[in-house]
Amino acid sequence: MFWEKDIETMNISEMKELQLDRLRTTLIRANSTPYYKQLFKDIGFNPSDVKNLEDIQKLPFTTKNDLREHYPYGFLAVPRDEIVRMHSSSGTTGRATVVFHTLNDINNWANLVARSMYMTGARKSDVFQNTMGYGLFTGGLGFHYGAEKIGMMVIPSGPGNSQRQITLMREFETTAIHILPSYALHLLDVFEEMNLDPKKDVKLRLAFIGAEPHSEEMRKKIEESYDIKAFNSYGLSEMCGPGVAFECPEKNGLHVWEDSFIIEIIDPKTLKPMPDGEEGEIVFTTINREGMPLIRYRTRDLASIYTDSCPCGRTHRRISRIKGRDDDMLIIKGVNMFPIQVETVLMKFPEIGRNYQIILETKEHMDDLTVEVEVLTPADDMRIYENLRKRIAEALRDEILFTPRVNLVQPGAIKRAEGKAVRVIDKREKA
Ligand code: DLL
């Protein structure tokens, strides 16, 4: 049974007590890591100073840069031989950051993923195909252990090899799948090539989609094309991986598992807390982790906390879909925009295919934006799409306040990334 009713519906004051208790333990643990021990000493902080949850604000934030500078073992809170696994974040720039887990950490993480999947209706009787990367990336192993906890039959297919993915789905009657949203759309092309209909020729009923930003429109497209229910799954390696926040059947925000993480939303510029309901950067503190506690970790992800209660009965607060990262906000001709805004507009056009890319260049010293989009149906002469091209450009202008160049291309023309989708190509000359 992975409906942990007592925890999932715990009343707010009990939850706060549990969090405070776990926070205190975490701070004591943190005090035995080289990094926090020095920090606490420098700022004259003693873990016993924490009397309530607000006291956490006395501590500075931890950033990715801190993790890098104290690579590899500066955040380790237990002797090295207590660690049973390491993972690494998927960041492509700079030195990787690593995260370490004890056996208890792995077990707690698997429980969170199991709880998340169970919440959406996944059961022991499901056949679960895990198309996420196994390895340093947390997506594959994180879900694998969670699915085994529920008792599902796991097909650890890993990413790529699309025809084989579909063959596995058919032969073993896969009912639940873990998949990148961009890959879920790409697979539709492969179904077509194989002359198969994802609505009829496979038994899928549930999909867990996450690890990359995607719009509500993208979710709808996936749900309609496969005739399934798709649930948004959010997490990051530094917290564990997937299993940090997940949608319930209401699909109205993602419940953050507050028995394991304290969430704060801050203004990324002033670093002050944002009032509930307002958008800002997510900051997390792990409160149930032994190997590598992290305090006030700045995720750079932007979202808001929903203030209303959820009809599903769970009391863990929900966050909105991730709007983007404050470091992937684009400033084009002085206008701020997020790639997801482009996706939201594109997905409203049924004639649009499965892939798109945002290309930034410098032309005559000015920013120049091209949105390249695949159409759904190939054409001998792309000029038949002229009217569509104009309508897309206008709809984009309404959203981002200037008119980008729109370039329509044949299905499959845009190169697909192996892992998470690469949506933005910035070729601008740096000043
Ligand atoms: O992507 C963990 C994960 C694996 C989550 C599988 C869900 C499913 P990282 O590689 O460390 O970990 O990347 C974390 O990916 O800070 C977000 O910017 C982004 N991200 C993850 N999930 C979502 C989501 C995994 N549902 C970074 N929506 C995070 C939007 C997401 N962005």
Side-chain angles (χ1 to χ4, degrees):
M1 255 296 272
F2 275 91
W3 161 228
E4 298 180 288
K5 186 163 189 267
D6 292 350
I7 294 177
E8 292 177 48
T9 63
M10 187 174 255
N11 74 41
I12 306 223
S13 60
E14 276 171 353
M15 176 60 79
K16 286 195 166 164
E17 250 174 67
L18 176 77
Q19 285 191 324
L20 183 58
D21 192 47
R22 290 187 170 179
L23 174 63
R24 287 196 174 118
T25 311
T26 299
L27 292 170
I28 292 165
R29 275 191 199 127
N31 209 11
S32 59
T33 69
Y35 177 77
Y36 287 116
K37 193 185 174 108
Q38 185 64 44
L39 176 79
F40 291 178
K41 205 168 139 212
D42 291 348
I43 62 171
F45 172 83
N46 190 319
S48 61
D49 295 346
V50 167
K51 304 283 181 251
N52 56 50
L53 286 174
E54 285 67 43
D55 285 342
I56 199 177
Q57 292 172 17
K58 292 180 182 157
L59 285 161
F61 296 102
T62 305
T63 64
K64 200 169 191 92
N65 210 31
D66 297 326
L67 297 185
R68 285 198 179 121
E69 281 177 8
H70 298 271
Y71 174 94
Y73 289 126
F75 283 82
L76 204 60
V78 297
R80 222 278 303 127
D81 64 0
E82 294 289 310
I83 297 299
V84 300
R85 171 111 58 89
M86 70 168 260
H87 277 285
S88 177
S89 84
S90 56
T92 46
T93 50
R95 187 187 250 173
T97 52
V98 281
V99 180
F100 301 100
H101 302 272
T102 64
L103 196 54
N104 280 337
D105 293 337
I106 294 289
N107 211 13
N108 289 337
W109 177 20
N111 276 340
L112 290 182
V113 175
R115 183 201 286 177
S116 305
M117 282 194 277
Y118 194 90
M119 166 168 79
T120 69
R123 294 294 179 268
K124 189 177 177 337
S125 50
D126 278 299
V127 175
F128 173 68
Q129 192 161 327
N130 193 2
T131 73
M132 290 268 186
Y134 279 74
L136 286 172
F137 176 56
T138 53
L141 284 166
F143 263 74
H144 185 101
Y145 276 58
E148 283 190 352
K149 281 249 164 191
I150 293 182
M152 299 194 262
M153 174 172 124
V154 182
I155 306 178
S157 59
N161 214 339
S162 304
Q163 295 213 355
R164 188 172 157 78
Q165 298 281 5
I166 293 171
T167 306
L168 287 169
M169 273 180 222
R170 282 163 59 76
E171 290 180 350
F172 297 97
E173 305 196 331
T174 302
T175 51
I177 192 166
H178 183 208
I179 191 160
L180 285 167
S182 55
Y183 189 51
L185 286 192
H186 170 72
L187 265 190
L188 292 171
D189 289 339
V190 185
F191 270 98
E192 248 171 55
E193 280 162 33
M194 294 171 78
N195 271 322
L196 292 170
D197 179 353
K199 288 192 178 125
K200 295 204 191 94
D201 297 323
V202 289
K203 296 241 157 51
L204 280 182
R205 64 183 196 94
L206 296 173
F208 311 114
I209 55 172
E212 63 185 13
H214 57 285
S215 56
E216 182 60 33
E217 286 68 20
M218 170 97 116
R219 183 238 295 278
K220 285 202 184 110
K221 198 160 189 161
I222 293 170
E223 291 193 319
E224 280 162 20
S225 315
Y226 286 88
D227 191 19
I228 54 172
K229 289 188 172 132
F231 296 89
N232 191 353
S233 147
Y234 166 76
L236 58 157
S237 324
E238 291 83 354
M239 289 301 110
C240 56
V244 175
F246 220 93
E247 279 180 335
C248 69
E250 300 292 329
K251 289 191 208 158
N252 177 19
L254 295 86
H255 290 279
V256 175
W257 297 129
E258 292 188 279
D259 57 325
S260 298
F261 309 100
I262 292 178
I263 180 168
E264 298 171 76
I265 303 278
I266 61 161
D267 179 326
K269 290 214 172 63
T270 64
L271 306 184
K272 295 270 177 291
M274 296 295 283
D276 266 5
E278 285 190 29
E279 189 180 285
E281 178 181 337
I282 304 175
V283 169
F284 281 125
T285 299
T286 65
I287 49 170
N288 204 18
R289 199 158 68 170
E290 296 176 340
M292 189 171 151
L294 285 181
I295 295 156
R296 307 194 85 198
Y297 182 72
R298 286 188 63 182
T299 63
R300 315 309 298 249
D301 292 324
L302 300 169
S304 57
I305 294 189
Y306 289 165
T307 47
D308 56 336
S309 57
C310 185
C312 81
R314 287 178 187 80
T315 46
H316 297 233
R317 285 174 303 164
R318 290 163 299 146
I319 50 169
S320 64
R321 176 179 290 286
I322 306 294
K323 176 172 172 191
R325 296 173 56 82
D326 69 354
D327 46 7
D328 64 33
M329 184 178 82
L330 300 168
I331 304 178
I332 302 164
K333 301 182 186 183
V335 179
N336 297 353
M337 64 160 267
F338 287 95
I340 208 80
Q341 287 177 278
V342 171
E343 179 180 302
T344 305
V345 170
L346 294 179
M347 293 289 151
K348 286 184 182 147
F349 289 86
E351 306 93 322
I352 290 285
R354 333 270 198 222
N355 207 352
Y356 73 93
Q357 218 156 37
I358 295 167
I359 301 160
L360 290 159
E361 289 162 299
T362 307
K363 292 213 170 130
E364 290 165 14
H365 309 290
M366 298 266 294
D367 291 341
D368 187 84
L369 172 71
T370 305
V371 177
E372 198 159 85
V373 201
E374 288 179 10
V375 291
L376 192 58
T377 319
D380 289 337
D381 184 349
M382 290 299 279
R383 277 177 300 186
I384 62 162
Y385 285 119
E386 186 49 24
N387 185 274
L388 173 67
R389 202 188 61 72
K390 280 197 185 129
R391 283 190 292 129
I392 293 174
E394 275 165 27
L396 283 170
R397 186 203 51 215
D398 290 347
E399 176 67 30
I400 62 177
L401 308 179
F402 65 90
T403 314
R405 193 192 319 276
V406 175
N407 192 7
L408 297 182
V409 296
Q410 301 281 6
I414 299 175
K415 194 168 172 288
R416 240 188 53 80
E418 267 288 301
K420 302 188 186 203
V422 177
R423 296 301 190 197
V424 180
I425 303 202
D426 196 342
K427 304 184 198 162
R428 284 181 293 183
E429 291 160 15
K430 301 280 173 287

